Amino acid sequence: MTKKIVFVSLVLFALAAMPALAAEGGGDAGAHTYKIAFAALGLGIAAAGGALAQGRAAGEALGGMARNPGAAGRIQTAMLIALAFMESLVIFVFAMTYLLSQG
């Protein structure tokens, strides 16, 4: 049920972004609008995937810390590095979305 709600939310956000990102008149305005819309949809999917992955990683790390408090420092360090990698992927998608919307 939760996956269905996330998917519907992503689609609704992407559809709501299309008028806001619409280009004004011109010969190739339609293709540019769709390119931006698909880039925004990709960004939404990347952000949602990154958030789900970060939530799961943090939950598993907290569970590991609860089971073995002596290893909490090592678990926390590994979790923070993993979270940084996950967030960097979302930032890369944001940068690509920006570049696609400019061209």
Side-chain angles (χ1 to χ4, degrees):
M1 182 70 178
T2 304
K3 290 180 183 179
K4 187 184 267 187
I5 292 172
V6 170
F7 178 74
V8 170
S9 298
L10 288 173
V11 170
L12 289 176
F13 285 134
L15 291 175
M18 275 198 246
L21 298 173
E24 294 190 20
D28 199 23
H32 186 66
T33 301
Y34 284 119
K35 186 167 54 171
I36 292 174
F38 285 126
L41 180 64
L43 178 61
I45 292 171
L52 291 172
Q54 287 180 349
R56 182 166 180 172
E60 294 293 328
L62 289 173
M65 288 180 206
R67 285 191 299 274
N68 188 2
R74 290 184 12 206
I75 293 172
Q76 183 179 11
T77 302
M79 180 193 67
L80 289 175
I81 292 170
L83 291 176
F85 284 133
M86 286 181 237
E87 190 63 32
S88 69
L89 290 175
V90 176
I91 292 170
F92 289 146
V93 172
F94 175 71
M96 291 304 297
T97 302
Y98 177 75
L99 290 174
L100 284 175
S101 68
Q102 297 302 312

